[in-house]
Amino acid sequence: METDNLYPEIYNIGNLILAWRKARKGKTKKEYVIEFEQDTLGNLLKLSEELKTQAYKLTPLKTFILRDPKTRKISKSAFRDRIVHHALFRIIEPIFDKGFIYDSCANRIGKGNLFALKRFDLFKRRVVNNLKTEAFCLKADIKHYFQEVNHEILLGIIKRKITDGMVIGLIKKILNNAPNPFCSRPCSLPESNISLAKSFAPPPNETSFCKKGMPLGNLTSQFFANVYLNELDYFVKHKLKAKYYIRYVDDFVILHKNKAQLEIWETEISVFLRETLRLELHPQKSKIIPLSKGIDFVGFRNFYYYRLLRKRNVRKMRLRVNQYKKGELSKKRLLEIFQGWNAYAKWANSFKLRREVVKGIYKK
C-alpha cells in the first residue's frame, strides 16, 4: 500500500463524517457534542480546511484524577480533536494492524480482554498437558508505560510504514499535545535506536531533550501503545521464540514448563526494553508464578480449574450497592452499573456472588 500520499485521505470530508460518528457514539447528550452539532457540516468542513492547509491546532488537554481502582491522571481532548484522532486512526490503523501478532489483544477489532482470557485458557491447557502437570507463568507489567513512551523512537517506528511527511507532522502535533511531554534530561538514544530516530535528530551543536509520554484517554494513545510494543512482541515471538505469549496493553504473560527458561527470558526482555524502547519492567508487578497458584490477568484470577473476579472488582460492586442503600446512588444508575458488571462477572465462576449482589440490591 502506498503511504506517501495518505494525508488527503485523512481530511477527506467523507472520512471526517465517519470519524465524527465514531467520536459521538455514546456521547450524543453531552453538551460539547450538542454544541458542535448545531452546525455539524460547517464544523467538519472547517476542520477539513484547517487540516488541508495545515492550520489545524489542537486544544490543550483537560486533565483530571481518577481513583477507580487506582489513581490515574486522565487527559480529555476537545471533541473536534477526537474527530481528528478517529480520522487519523481510520486511515493508518489498517496499515499497522496487519503487522501485529495474533496475541496482541488490546484495542483491536475482534480482540479484547475476553479474547485474551480465552487464549490464556488455551495456552494453560497446552503447556500443562491438559492440566495434568505443573508449569509456570512470567506475569509482567511495564513500569509507568504511557508516561515513558519515547516520541523519537515511536516516530521512527511509525516512519517505517508511513512515508507521508504531513501525516507524520499531524502525529507529532497529537503527541506534543500532552500536559508534560518533556524529559528533564538530555536525550541520548541507545545505539540500536539511532536508525529509528535519525530523521528527528536535532541540528548540530543543539541539545535535544527527549519528548516522552502519551495521555491516558486518547484513542491515538491506545493505538500508538500497540505500535510501540509491537517491537517487544516481535522480540519475544521471533527472537526468544516464546510459544505461549499474550500481551494486553503493557501487561503480558509468557507460559512455559521450565521456570529457569522464564527467568532467562525475563532478563533478556528487561535488557531489550531498556536498550531498545527506553522502558523497564515493574519490579513489584513482574514475577514468575506457578500456574497452580493462580495468575492475575485481564481482570480475573485464573486458576487451573476455575476463574475468580479480582477482589477489588467485587469490593467495588458491593460499595455501589451500599451507596444505593444510603441514598447516595439512584436505583437506575445502580442497575446500569450492575448490568455492565454482571456481563463481565459471568466470565468467572461467580454464580453465588452474582446472586448475592442481586439480593443485596432488592433487599429492603
Side-chain angles (χ1 to χ4, degrees):
M1 180 178 178
E2 293 292 332
T3 65
D4 58 354
N5 193 32
L6 290 176
Y7 195 66
E9 296 182 38
I10 294 172
Y11 65 72
N12 177 279
I13 191 63
N15 185 49
L16 288 176
I17 289 172
L18 293 172
W20 157 69
R21 288 174 179 167
K22 281 285 189 180
R24 76 191 292 270
K25 190 174 181 180
K27 299 177 175 64
T28 54
K29 295 181 180 179
K30 297 288 187 180
E31 190 174 318
Y32 54 80
V33 176
I34 294 171
E35 182 180 349
F36 186 90
E37 293 179 354
Q38 288 177 359
D39 184 13
T40 303
L41 184 58
N43 284 324
L44 290 176
L45 287 169
K46 181 181 178 182
L47 196 53
S48 176
E49 184 63 22
E50 287 179 15
L51 287 166
K52 182 179 180 179
T53 60
Q54 293 185 285
Y56 167 68
K57 293 182 180 179
L58 290 93
T59 304
L61 298 172
K62 292 182 179 179
T63 61
F64 57 94
I65 302 299
L66 186 66
R67 294 182 174 87
D68 190 14
K70 59 184 180 182
T71 300
R72 293 176 294 166
K73 184 164 73 171
I74 306 296
S75 297
K76 186 176 180 180
S77 295
F79 183 63
R80 73 195 304 267
D81 293 337
R82 281 181 247 170
I83 294 173
V84 173
H85 295 170
H86 279 279
L88 172 67
F89 178 80
R90 291 192 73 259
I91 301 304
I92 70 171
E93 187 270 343
I95 297 170
F96 286 91
D97 187 77
K98 62 186 178 183
F100 292 160
I101 67 167
Y102 186 73
D103 291 308
S104 168
C105 302
N107 308 310
R108 296 179 67 195
I109 296 171
K111 303 291 175 77
N113 57 355
L114 297 181
F115 174 86
L117 202 61
K118 290 177 181 178
R119 294 294 285 174
F120 183 88
D121 280 349
L122 175 65
F123 289 174
K124 177 182 66 178
R125 290 182 177 277
R126 286 181 177 176
V127 77
V128 298
N129 190 23
N130 205 26
L131 309 183
K132 293 178 182 177
T133 59
E134 178 65 287
F136 300 86
C137 176
L138 168 58
K139 168 71 170 64
D141 184 280
I142 296 173
K143 185 178 180 182
H144 301 153
Y145 175 51
F146 280 86
Q147 299 173 30
E148 296 295 329
V149 169
N150 184 294
H151 291 190
E152 291 184 80
I153 295 173
L154 174 61
L155 287 165
I157 295 168
I158 291 171
K159 283 194 71 176
R160 293 176 187 166
K161 293 187 180 291
I162 304 295
T163 56
D164 188 326
M166 294 174 78
V167 175
I168 296 296
L170 177 59
I171 291 171
K172 290 177 76 172
K173 280 185 180 181
I174 292 171
L175 288 173
N176 288 338
N177 190 37
N180 183 21
F182 298 95
C183 296
S184 58
R185 63 182 187 279
C187 178
S188 56
L189 292 175
E191 189 69 27
S192 59
N193 275 322
I194 290 176
S195 61
L196 288 181
K198 64 182 180 181
S199 299
F200 307 96
N205 302 319
E206 183 175 316
T207 302
S208 170
F209 285 87
C210 294
K211 295 180 181 180
K212 66 177 184 177
M214 299 188 299
L216 281 172
N218 277 0
L219 170 69
T220 48
S221 296
Q222 297 167 13
F223 170 64
F224 293 145
N226 274 343
V227 171
Y228 203 75
L229 283 184
N230 189 50
E231 302 297 303
L232 170 65
D233 297 342
Y234 270 72
F235 176 76
V236 173
K237 294 294 290 183
H238 300 292
K239 181 73 173 178
L240 302 183
K241 300 191 183 301
K243 191 174 182 180
Y244 302 121
Y245 166 78
I246 308 167
R247 181 176 61 79
Y248 190 88
V249 194
D250 60 335
D251 193 6
F252 66 89
V253 293
I254 307 177
L255 281 61
H256 200 278
K257 291 181 180 180
N258 191 322
K259 183 179 180 182
Q261 179 63 73
L262 289 176
E263 290 171 345
I264 293 170
W265 283 348
E266 182 178 16
T267 300
E268 291 181 303
I269 288 169
S270 182
V271 171
F272 173 83
L273 287 172
R274 184 175 63 254
E275 294 187 350
T276 306
L277 297 178
R278 284 295 184 85
L279 301 171
E280 61 180 293
L281 294 177
H282 197 296
Q284 281 78 49
K285 296 181 181 179
S286 301
K287 57 189 72 174
I288 297 170
I289 309 165
L291 281 173
S292 58
K293 290 191 175 182
I295 308 300
D296 191 340
F297 185 55
V298 291
F300 297 89
R301 291 181 291 151
N302 300 274
F303 296 88
Y304 264 22
Y305 299 102
Y306 59 95
R307 184 186 303 130
L308 299 177
L309 287 169
R310 282 178 176 164
K311 292 180 181 178
R312 69 188 184 199
N313 188 295
V314 177
R315 285 197 301 268
K316 180 180 172 182
M317 189 62 232
R318 285 176 172 156
L319 174 64
R320 297 300 194 191
V321 174
N322 287 334
Q323 288 176 330
Y324 162 66
K325 289 183 176 181
K326 293 177 181 177
E328 299 171 359
L329 194 68
S330 71
K331 188 169 186 177
K332 180 182 178 181
R333 179 58 184 148
L334 176 64
L335 291 176
E336 288 174 354
I337 293 170
F338 174 75
Q339 186 177 13
W341 178 86
N342 188 52
Y344 189 71
K346 284 180 179 178
W347 287 86
N349 298 80
S350 61
F351 176 76
K352 289 183 179 179
L353 171 65
R354 287 182 286 119
R355 185 172 60 180
E356 174 195 324
V357 172
V358 170
K359 286 182 179 179
I361 293 172
Y362 289 99
K363 185 177 180 180
K364 294 184 179 179

